[in-house]
Amino acid sequence: MEFNTKVLHGKSVRRPCDGATLPTISQVSAFSYETAEELEKVFTNRAPGFAYTRIGNPTVDAFEKRICELEGGLAATACSSGMAAITAALLNILQSGDEIIAGAGLFGGTIDLFGDLEAYGIKTRFVKQVNAEQIEKNITDKTKVIFGELIGNPGLDVMDASSVAALAHKNGIPLMVDATTATPYLARSIEYGADIVIHSSSKYINGSGNSVSGIIIDSGNFKWNTEKHPALAKYKKFGNLAFTARLRGDTWRNIGGCLAPMNAYLNIVGLETLGLRMQRICDNALALAKALEGIDGISVNYPGLESSPYYPLVKSQFDGDGGGIVTLRAGTKERAYRLMNSLKYALKATNIGDTKTLVIHPASTIYLHSTEEQKNNAGVYDDTIRVSVGIEGEADLIEDFVEAIKRLDKTEGEE
Ligand SMILES: *Cc1c(COP(=O)(O)O)cnc(C)c1O
């Protein structure tokens, strides 16, 4: 089945018995049973069913199953946000004394989280690029997870997932991939060897910027060795599903970052058009990057451009689509602000993956708490603008940016 068919008619798509064409919104906290015995069975996993929405909910379940199928995983667990998903996934396997190896150019919130984890004895070794060469140098006995983004936000470095996964597995370490910016439409990370895939589904999966959420997909492929990952010792009997068994039975349910049923529903509505939106967004992003590439005084970073060092990987991993984020450098912060302020269509907002084009100045917002080094590693400079390209008409979008850049020089000349 092609992607656009699978989102609508895949085996995980089950319709309610009343024939409704979308899942019912089970907007409840708890589920009741006829007898105390039945409730006990559900609670102890001896009968299927739902007890309490923090632990499971039919609408959330429908969302989890659909994403799980699209990613080709074995189990998926939805969370209240992308950050909740990353936090739960890491705490599920890490203990005091453990180390993470991660890309230095990751999403700012994730970098901040790694800093927070230091208080619990969990240290992160950052590599400039998440590639096998740089990771190998940082692996120690304490390395318990390798974490990277398929397409870095906003650094836009592309991870060669197969080679990183091969190295990780050779050392008995799982590869955790944040695939938010790639989405399962561009690549199914598990096919490239990712063991745990995470999305901030607030972004492209939801697609309209109407709710915050995250999801963790377990490939079911990693052979957990509970000597290396003692956090999973109690769940050893679940074999390759030990990660999800502990997550759902312990870490995730106790942290309590569950997804609200209404937001799961909104995500399912969004998911049905993910393929269409993502293709349009990628086409728009490439057209915009090409149109701006040659303009004096502006530099453009987009992995889908032939001039990008990541172009070969974009071709091999993503079938040529470079994703929906383009970054621009305007020369100075003042020029970056003026450019942003004179755009007609792009909204100034801190989000990605909306239908509408969004722009932000990362250095003064998302990276406000970061050091100069952290910002440089993420490709965030004083003059950087991040553009999350939307689904507007291509010509309108290009004209908006080209005209705004022209006005930039005009006002300079007049001054
Ligand atoms: C937005 C984002 C997150 C965090 O997700 P929230 O849903 O905002 O908590 C994590 N990783 C990436 C790549 C993101 O873009």
Side-chain angles (χ1 to χ4, degrees):
M1 243 189 271
E2 290 173 57
F3 186 91
N4 287 330
T5 312
K6 201 188 258 184
V7 292
L8 304 172
H9 303 292
K11 67 177 187 320
S12 60
V13 180
R14 298 207 190 96
R15 298 191 213 290
C17 52
D18 59 9
T21 54
L22 281 164
T24 304
I25 308 169
S26 297
Q27 188 65 43
V28 295
S29 310
F31 300 81
S32 67
Y33 291 85
E34 287 300 319
T35 64
E37 286 81 0
E38 280 176 76
L39 184 56
E40 182 193 336
K41 276 191 187 150
V42 169
F43 242 87
T44 51
N45 285 329
R46 281 181 293 126
F50 298 93
Y52 189 60
T53 286
R54 171 162 49 75
I55 304 167
N57 173 286
T59 319
V60 177
D61 183 66
F63 173 59
E64 290 170 338
K65 289 208 161 74
R66 287 192 191 205
I67 296 281
C68 193
E69 180 180 10
L70 292 177
E71 284 288 4
L74 262 193
T77 306
C79 302
S80 53
S81 69
M83 289 315 303
I86 295 171
T87 305
L90 289 171
L91 292 183
N92 198 47
I93 49 172
L94 298 179
Q95 295 186 331
S96 177
D98 288 347
E99 287 180 3
I100 303 166
I101 299 177
L106 290 173
F107 177 70
T110 309
I111 301 256
D112 288 350
L113 172 68
F114 290 145
D116 297 339
L117 291 178
E118 283 183 19
Y120 304 91
I122 297 162
K123 195 185 139 188
T124 305
R125 290 169 178 261
F126 289 104
V127 292
K128 272 239 158 78
Q129 274 170 345
V130 188
N131 61 32
E133 194 194 348
Q134 293 191 19
I135 289 167
E136 190 151 34
K137 287 187 223 152
N138 283 282
I139 291 180
T140 72
D141 289 349
K142 296 177 184 164
T143 312
K144 301 300 167 75
V145 64
I146 292 169
F147 190 101
E149 284 168 13
L150 221 45
I151 305 175
N153 170 21
L156 303 181
D157 41 331
V158 179
M159 169 165 67
D160 181 354
S162 307
S163 63
V164 172
L167 174 73
H169 298 159
K170 203 176 83 188
N171 290 278
I173 303 166
L175 173 63
M176 204 177 268
V177 165
D178 178 341
T180 301
T181 46
T183 80
Y185 179 71
L186 291 198
R188 303 207 304 170
S189 317
I190 292 171
E191 286 174 6
Y192 293 96
D195 301 295
I196 307 294
V197 182
I198 297 173
H199 290 282
S200 164
S201 36
S202 322
K203 314 292 171 55
Y204 297 96
I205 288 175
N206 173 280
S208 296
N210 61 42
S211 48
V212 169
S213 67
I215 192 158
I216 305 165
I217 302 101
D218 183 350
S219 70
N221 292 332
F222 193 73
K223 296 187 176 37
W224 298 97
N225 169 353
T226 53
E227 268 163 43
K228 188 158 184 87
H229 290 100
L232 298 180
K234 224 173 94 188
Y235 296 88
K236 194 175 174 174
K237 67 172 184 221
F238 292 95
N240 286 7
L241 273 177
F243 177 90
T244 293
R246 175 167 196 232
L247 194 66
R248 295 204 75 108
D250 197 343
T251 322
W252 166 83
R253 86 155 64 180
N254 294 341
I255 290 176
C258 65
L259 178 57
M262 182 66 199
N263 291 355
Y265 173 80
L266 291 169
N267 286 348
I268 291 170
V269 174
L271 185 62
E272 295 200 340
T273 57
L274 175 63
L276 289 184
R277 284 183 287 105
M278 208 51 199
Q279 191 57 58
R280 169 70 172 228
I281 284 171
C282 290
D283 292 346
N284 273 355
L286 179 62
L288 181 68
K290 277 187 175 161
L292 304 186
E293 201 183 11
I295 300 182
D296 265 356
I298 293 286
S299 70
V300 182
N301 183 15
Y302 182 63
L305 283 174
E306 276 178 59
S307 56
S308 164
Y310 296 111
Y311 184 68
L313 262 179
V314 164
K315 287 206 93 171
S316 62
Q317 243 173 208
F318 308 142
D319 231 356
D321 290 318
I325 304 175
V326 176
T327 60
L328 308 175
R329 292 189 63 182
T332 62
K333 176 178 174 179
E334 188 263 341
R335 272 169 58 92
Y337 271 35
R338 272 203 290 139
L339 201 167
M340 286 172 66
N341 291 343
S342 86
L343 289 166
K344 248 190 316 186
Y345 301 123
L347 307 182
K348 288 164 278 293
T350 178
N351 192 12
I352 57 169
D354 201 317
T355 46
K356 301 165 276 290
T357 295
L358 311 177
V359 291
I360 195 165
H361 180 256
S364 62
T365 54
I366 321 168
Y367 284 81
L368 200 59
H369 306 292
S370 308
T371 62
E372 285 307 308
E373 191 192 352
Q374 285 171 332
K375 282 189 274 190
N376 288 350
N377 286 335
V380 171
Y381 304 97
D382 240 16
D383 62 341
T384 304
I385 301 170
R386 182 185 74 185
V387 185
S388 170
V389 178
I391 62 171
E392 294 93 344
E394 182 186 298
D396 287 337
L397 204 58
I398 291 174
E399 188 192 71
D400 195 13
F401 278 85
V402 168
E403 291 304 314
I405 293 168
K406 275 191 198 154
R407 278 194 292 274
L408 210 54
D409 292 331
K410 247 188 221 143
T411 31
E412 253 168 8
E414 285 158 8
E415 273 159 11

